[in-house]
Amino acid sequence: MKDRLDFNLLSALLKKQRREGLASFRKGNFNAVGFIFRVLLTLALVAVFVVFFGNFLEIYLGVMSGGATDPQERLYEVLSVAYAVVLLAMIVGGVAQINGALFGDDIKIMSALPVGANTLFISKLITIYLRQAVFACVCVLAINLTAAAHLAQGAEYYAVTVLSCLLLPLLSVGIASVFALPLHAFKQLLKDRFVLTFIVIIAVTAALLALYAWVLGGVKALLFGDDLRYFFSQRVMDGIAAFAAAAYPANLVAGLLTGRNVLVCALVMAAVLIVCAALSAVFIRLILGRALRNENSGSTTSFRVRRRRLRPAHTQLFALVKKEFLTIFRTPDYAFSYFAVALVVPLMVYFCISIGSSLAVRLIAVDCDFELAVFLTLLFGSLSNVFCTTNISRDGRMFYSVKAMPIAPGTVIFSKVLLCLFVTVLSQLLSAALLAATGYVSVPCALFLLAAGVLFGFAQICVATRVDFDHARFSSEPDGEIKESGNTVSIIMVAGLALSFIVGGAVVLARMYAALRGLAAQYAWVTFAVAGAVAVIAAAGGFALLACGLKKRYYRFSGGII
């Protein structure tokens, strides 16, 4: 197998990847619901960002540092920080995209063909660069145009803005290419060390939650602070300036935009890209080339033999739930998406109700904490409870092995529902306890939130399992891991959001209407009646949808392989 770059093969690989990308838009493969949902969500996020970022710039550009105001210097600092955040997100996404593209089905095919590791790696980087360029355009245009609206800029600013849309993804892909292959080697090292993997996942989740709490705290201060200018003391400004000066290579792009040491910035970025290319070449030879050779020879990297002790027999339901748990626990991506939900949902509900409650009191002087808690509990529960959308597909070909066993269909299917329900109960319990402990709702109301959240979660799990059962898509990977979400995720999320806005929005508006007319005490029962009735009906409907004709569908099931 050749190691040099073959441009003819590179062209052929790019053509193959382009056709594979276009195939996802063909009839039957195109997830129209998910695509429209992502576009609308992106536009909404951009609109919210522009509003908040614009309000922030109005204050920050006029902040004094060193006894004087310098809007152009403040703009450089803001752009450096903003680009650092965008670049970090793109690097993390780039690492995941590179490893997903290299070590999927392609490695099995390419290992049997005369395709060198360098050629394969470069072909994947080009495709990933084009994808990241689209993301960079959205972020850079939102940041730069909002900044230009608050501080007039010359024509060169807009020219460099277009250049930045190309430079940022180039930097992110270059840096990601350095970390992607070592990270894959690290994951292979942890492959059979499940406890250590779980500890790493918990640490990463805790770091993300801390970052989320810090960001939400800043948003709340921006919305409800008496005057944000008092926050930017000289000590804070010195810290921001130091961060901007050290935020390489993001501050280099900011320097190009603001005209600071343009030649130096260009030379340093070129040096960064050269170093990344050199390091990537080393890792390609050490890691990717070896992986291709191992795949071609059929060799494995794990030789440990586990001795298992005989354990007492358990019930069929317990054994199936344990099987589901071990499948999740031993797959890092599943473990992260599954266990992180129990921690993320309570904090999201808490921070959002703290903002929403203050906003409602300031704007219309209405206390509707309980109704907001109902709305947010349903909203974030429906957004985060999407792991159940792969309840059937997650089994892969193992599903047929279980099907061949003398186990009742209801036991097999509802073992999956039971495991997903466990994390729903845990997250809703933490959420209700946090709201009660912080005084936003009383203990009886917290118990009602717990019951309603669990019932809605149960309904969503049942519906998602039924939809996935009817449209299962088994992975062709040896480990059976689902790498990409299908239509089921989009359907369940859209349905959950619609129900959350209908029920949660109805009780919030009813509370506001009654409070503004002095009838809050007389109609306090409305929230309990509406949310409780819909929760019971949704749970009963979801159970009926899944259980009705389950045995007949189960024995006739023969699809799922993709």
Side-chain angles (χ1 to χ4, degrees):
M1 184 170 56
K2 303 176 182 178
D3 286 333
R4 65 181 179 82
L5 183 61
D6 189 321
F7 289 97
N8 291 329
L9 281 175
L10 179 62
S11 176
L13 289 174
L14 291 174
K15 185 177 181 180
K16 169 183 173 291
Q17 294 170 24
R18 178 176 59 83
R19 289 182 174 179
E20 289 174 347
L22 294 176
S24 62
F25 290 93
R26 293 175 184 171
K27 186 177 181 181
N29 296 329
F30 182 53
N31 181 7
V33 176
F35 180 78
I36 295 173
F37 178 75
R38 285 193 295 270
V39 170
L40 294 177
L41 182 61
T42 301
L43 293 175
L45 291 176
V46 169
V48 171
F49 171 80
V50 168
V51 172
F52 280 102
F53 189 54
N55 291 336
F56 174 79
L57 286 175
E58 288 184 2
I59 297 173
Y60 189 76
L61 293 177
V63 172
M64 296 183 64
S65 180
T69 59
D70 188 348
Q72 199 68 16
E73 180 69 18
R74 302 289 84 77
L75 179 63
Y76 168 75
E77 295 167 354
V78 168
L79 292 178
S80 296
V81 175
Y83 286 160
V85 174
V86 173
L87 188 61
L88 179 62
M90 293 173 66
I91 291 172
V92 172
V95 169
Q97 290 170 352
I98 291 172
N99 281 333
L102 287 174
F103 299 101
D105 291 337
D106 271 2
I107 196 172
K108 304 173 190 175
I109 301 172
M110 299 304 167
S111 63
L113 297 175
V115 178
N118 288 324
T119 305
L120 178 62
F121 192 78
I122 295 298
S123 70
K124 299 298 183 183
L125 284 189
I126 292 175
T127 302
I128 292 170
Y129 170 80
L130 295 176
R131 293 177 181 173
Q132 293 221 344
V134 176
F135 177 80
C137 284
V138 175
C139 296
V140 170
L141 291 178
I143 294 170
N144 289 15
L145 296 182
T146 305
H150 291 80
L151 184 62
Q153 301 292 327
E156 65 279 1
Y157 177 88
Y158 298 96
V160 178
T161 294
V162 176
L163 182 62
S164 301
C165 296
L166 304 176
L167 284 177
L168 273 181
L170 192 62
L171 290 170
S172 68
V173 170
I175 297 172
S177 66
V178 174
F179 292 102
L181 294 177
L183 180 62
H184 173 75
F186 180 69
K187 288 176 65 177
Q188 291 297 108
L189 182 65
L190 297 180
K191 187 174 181 180
D192 296 327
R193 295 170 173 83
F194 306 116
V195 175
L196 182 58
T197 301
F198 184 71
I199 293 174
V200 172
I201 289 172
I202 293 297
V204 172
T205 303
L208 292 177
L209 290 178
L211 177 63
Y212 175 81
W214 180 77
V215 171
L216 264 294
V219 171
K220 186 177 179 181
L222 180 61
L223 283 174
F224 305 113
D226 293 330
D227 193 342
L228 195 61
R229 289 183 177 85
Y230 295 120
F231 171 78
F232 295 110
S233 62
Q234 187 59 49
R235 181 180 177 182
V236 172
M237 294 304 298
D238 291 340
I240 295 175
F243 177 83
Y248 292 101
N251 59 357
L252 301 176
V253 182
L256 291 178
L257 276 163
T258 55
R260 295 167 59 102
N261 301 321
V262 175
L263 181 59
V264 174
C265 290
L267 292 175
V268 173
M269 278 192 287
V272 169
L273 293 175
I274 292 173
V275 171
C276 290
L279 291 175
S280 298
V282 174
F283 292 134
I284 289 171
R285 180 179 294 273
L286 294 178
I287 300 174
L288 181 59
R290 182 177 297 177
L292 287 171
R293 291 190 293 272
N294 290 343
E295 189 71 30
N296 191 28
S297 63
S299 60
T300 59
T301 57
S302 178
F303 300 94
R304 294 194 302 164
V305 178
R306 292 176 175 246
R307 295 183 178 180
R308 298 186 178 275
R309 295 180 300 171
L310 294 177
R311 299 179 182 273
H314 296 294
T315 64
Q316 293 178 344
L317 180 62
F318 182 89
L320 289 172
V321 172
K322 182 180 178 181
K323 185 265 294 181
E324 294 290 329
F325 174 79
L326 291 177
T327 300
I328 297 169
F329 184 73
R330 293 174 177 176
T331 308
D333 291 341
Y334 290 169
F336 182 80
S337 60
Y338 183 81
F339 294 109
V341 170
L343 301 176
V344 170
V345 170
L347 286 179
M348 293 178 75
V349 172
Y350 168 71
F351 283 113
C352 289
I353 198 174
S354 66
I355 295 175
S357 175
S358 302
L359 192 63
V361 171
R362 289 201 175 196
L363 293 180
I364 57 177
V366 173
D367 180 8
C368 53
D369 291 350
F370 177 55
E371 288 72 20
L372 284 173
V374 171
F375 172 61
L376 294 172
T377 296
L378 301 184
L379 176 65
F380 290 115
S382 64
L383 283 175
S384 57
N385 192 19
V386 296
F387 189 74
C388 54
T389 56
T390 59
N391 268 350
I392 307 299
S393 300
R394 191 169 59 244
D395 268 357
R397 293 174 177 84
M398 186 192 299
F399 185 86
Y400 296 109
S401 300
V402 177
K403 183 182 175 183
M405 298 178 183
I407 304 175
T411 304
V412 175
I413 300 302
F414 280 98
S415 66
K416 302 173 181 294
V417 174
L418 186 61
L419 185 68
C420 290
L421 188 62
F422 171 78
V423 75
T424 298
V425 172
L426 179 60
S427 63
Q428 296 295 345
L429 179 62
L430 292 175
S431 178
L434 183 60
L435 293 180
T438 52
Y440 283 103
V441 297
S442 62
V443 174
C445 291
L447 294 175
F448 177 82
L449 283 176
L450 173 62
V454 170
L455 288 174
F456 275 105
F458 176 75
Q460 188 177 21
I461 294 168
C462 289
V463 173
T465 305
R466 169 62 189 273
V467 174
D468 190 42
F469 192 66
D470 292 340
H471 306 282
R473 293 173 60 85
F474 295 161
S475 173
S476 57
E477 296 292 323
D479 56 5
E481 184 178 348
I482 303 294
K483 302 294 185 182
E484 296 181 358
S485 58
N487 294 342
T488 305
V489 175
S490 302
I491 293 171
I492 297 304
M493 287 188 66
V494 170
L497 284 174
L499 186 61
S500 302
F501 274 98
I502 292 173
V503 178
V507 297
V508 170
L509 291 177
R511 169 69 178 182
M512 291 180 176
Y513 179 84
L516 291 174
R517 283 159 178 75
L519 303 173
Q522 294 90 323
Y523 292 95
W525 55 270
V526 171
T527 300
F528 293 93
V530 173
V534 176
V536 172
I537 294 172
F543 177 80
L545 180 67
L546 180 60
C548 183
L550 176 60
K551 184 176 181 180
K552 184 178 180 180
R553 291 195 310 276
Y554 182 80
Y555 287 125
R556 287 187 174 182
F557 182 87
S558 61
I561 298 177
I562 57 174

